[in-house]
Amino acid sequence: MIIGVPKEIKTEENRVAVTPTGVAGFVARNHKVLIQKSAGLGSGLTDRAYESAGATIVDSVKEVWEQADLIMKVKEPQESEFPLMREGLILFTYLHLAANESVTLALLYRKVMAIAYETIQLDDGSLPLLTPMSEIAGRLSIQVGAWCLQAENGGRGILIGGASGVRPANVVILGAGMSGTAACQVAAGMGAYVSILDINPTKLRYVHDILGGHVTTLMSNRANVEEAVIGADLVIGSVLIPGAQAPKLIPRSLVKRMKPGAAFVDISIDQGGCAETSRPTNHREPIYIDENVVHYCVTNMPAIVPYTSTYALTNSTLSYGLELANRGFPQALIRNKALAKGLNTFGGRVTHEGVANAFNLPWTPAEEVIRP
């Protein structure tokens, strides 16, 4: 199989889908890998490193898309890439389609076989390809949240860890999944007063145990969310329904009641955001102020640490990419149920229920299109 790796063109996106080590893995199994020139430079990976691993460097993005059987990316196709998509192509990347109707419709029109990293799901419910980026986004959320709280950014002018004789910041985290737990660890480590809310008591118990009780855990319900958010200096939104739009836990009426200059970091923005005031931003203009609250809603947060993110991503995606290349379609999805759950579109049909529900489109279960 021919695997194509184009350079990412989303604003300030410096990650790349495959490292030279990953290239070597494909080449060792007799696959051909095409890397667009300079695709890895943002992550500190040179064309020479890719060539040494056995990749073929091509000058244009058009060559990559036209020749490849399998395209591996980091982010969803951008509008300029839509014409490059074609029927029969396998696209393997983060898609977050439930929050992006234009990409969904383009994939359907072009009849692309689109497999989303974020909806590949193991039997225990875990999301192995979302986990590494969720961890990084969670850790970053406190870092950027601290920046949002600085006075020059419109924030309250509060130091996360406080100072001798001065209270630390009150940090509230909505969701105790991978990103929420990572955010909780960093916030607690910085000396903040931390509360974390979730609907799953098992997750809350886990967070309580790993942090030795240095955090307040609360069941997520309307009353607790409202009380916690109103009293917060920094709120982190990290809720997720795999493949579907994020629930709007924070209505505009609640944002209005937050402290003036409080900060809100919405990790859930990839799936539409968990506040009514959330709207996507990018790394060039990451923040805006709405209802006197500083909002940070960047859709590709891990891109600001591309070296770490690229290696963490490839560590997780490579085995699935190899399975797709080695076995092809539909055998790879038949043998690997987790990979089958990643199929979002096929032959002009939506094959993920969450995406279909988001746009009131017909849903064809993935099992029907991969059935031998």
Side-chain angles (χ1 to χ4, degrees):
M1 188 174 283
I2 300 176
I3 295 90
V5 181
K7 181 179 175 64
E8 298 294 324
I9 59 173
K10 186 166 184 170
T11 304
E12 297 298 308
E13 180 56 74
N14 291 307
R15 291 173 290 180
V16 63
V18 180
T19 62
T21 302
V23 168
F26 283 110
V27 171
R29 291 161 179 80
N30 298 317
H31 302 296
K32 182 178 180 179
V33 182
L34 305 177
I35 304 285
Q36 186 182 350
K37 185 178 180 180
S38 304
L41 289 183
S43 296
L45 301 170
T46 65
D47 290 345
R48 180 174 295 182
Y50 280 111
E51 287 180 314
S52 297
T56 301
I57 305 298
V58 296
D59 289 328
S60 71
V61 65
K62 187 176 180 181
E63 290 178 83
V64 175
W65 285 84
E66 285 183 348
Q67 296 181 44
D69 306 302
L70 166 64
I71 290 285
M72 290 187 68
K73 282 176 49 57
V74 177
K75 293 301 293 180
E76 71 282 353
Q78 303 301 294
E79 189 172 350
S80 64
E81 294 173 310
F82 291 174
L84 300 173
M85 300 190 295
R86 66 182 191 278
E87 185 174 359
L89 179 71
I90 303 174
L91 176 63
F92 193 34
T93 185
Y94 286 118
L95 287 170
H96 299 288
L97 294 184
N100 202 326
E101 187 174 14
S102 63
V103 176
T104 302
L105 295 178
L107 291 171
L108 295 176
Y109 178 74
R110 299 283 176 175
K111 297 184 178 180
V112 175
M113 186 190 313
I115 301 174
Y117 293 161
E118 74 276 3
T119 61
I120 290 176
Q121 191 169 21
L122 301 178
D123 290 339
D124 63 1
S126 61
L127 305 166
L129 303 195
L130 190 61
T131 295
M133 295 303 100
S134 294
E135 180 184 3
I136 291 171
R139 293 177 181 273
L140 279 173
S141 68
I142 303 301
Q143 183 174 313
V144 299
W147 178 74
C148 291
L149 283 173
Q150 294 176 189
E152 70 269 23
N153 297 316
R156 286 172 53 78
I158 290 178
L159 185 65
I160 288 283
S164 299
V166 183
R167 293 179 185 274
N170 182 1
V171 177
V172 170
I173 300 166
L174 304 178
M178 177 56 69
S179 57
T181 300
C184 193
Q185 290 175 299
V186 173
M190 293 177 69
Y193 176 79
V194 186
S195 300
I196 186 167
L197 295 85
D198 200 280
I199 58 174
N200 188 334
T202 301
K203 290 183 177 181
L204 294 177
R205 193 173 298 114
Y206 171 75
V207 173
H208 185 273
D209 289 347
I210 64 172
L211 289 174
H214 298 297
V215 60
T216 299
T217 57
L218 297 168
M219 287 299 294
S220 182
N221 55 52
R222 183 175 296 180
N224 282 344
V225 169
E226 185 173 306
E227 181 181 2
V229 168
I230 290 172
D233 299 303
L234 170 61
V235 176
I236 307 295
S238 58
V239 296
L240 174 71
I241 301 174
Q245 286 188 326
K248 300 295 184 186
L249 296 185
I250 307 177
R252 179 173 289 275
S253 59
L254 183 53
V255 177
K256 286 182 179 180
R257 298 171 64 190
M258 290 176 67
K259 298 175 182 177
F264 173 57
V265 178
D266 198 346
I267 301 174
S268 306
I269 193 65
D270 269 339
Q271 296 293 130
C274 63
E276 287 184 350
T277 50
S278 295
R279 56 179 172 81
T281 61
N282 56 56
H283 290 295
R284 289 179 184 170
E285 298 180 5
I287 62 174
Y288 61 92
I289 297 176
D290 195 346
E291 304 293 357
N292 292 318
V293 173
V294 182
H295 289 63
Y296 183 101
C297 302
V298 175
T299 56
N300 58 336
M301 285 176 61
I304 55 175
V305 285
Y307 180 91
T308 299
S309 296
T310 288
Y311 277 93
L313 181 62
T314 299
N315 288 344
S316 300
T317 59
L318 182 59
S319 62
Y320 291 93
L322 284 169
E323 191 156 7
L324 280 170
N326 293 338
R327 301 188 186 281
F329 181 88
Q331 285 74 20
L333 278 67
I334 293 171
R335 293 177 63 93
N336 191 323
K337 292 181 180 179
L339 190 58
K341 290 182 179 179
L343 187 65
N344 278 214
T345 68
F346 175 82
R349 291 174 283 176
V350 177
T351 53
H352 193 284
E353 187 175 11
V355 178
N357 290 342
F359 306 117
N360 293 315
L361 294 170
W363 169 50
T364 302
E367 293 79 8
E368 292 187 15
V369 302
I370 65 175
R371 190 177 295 156

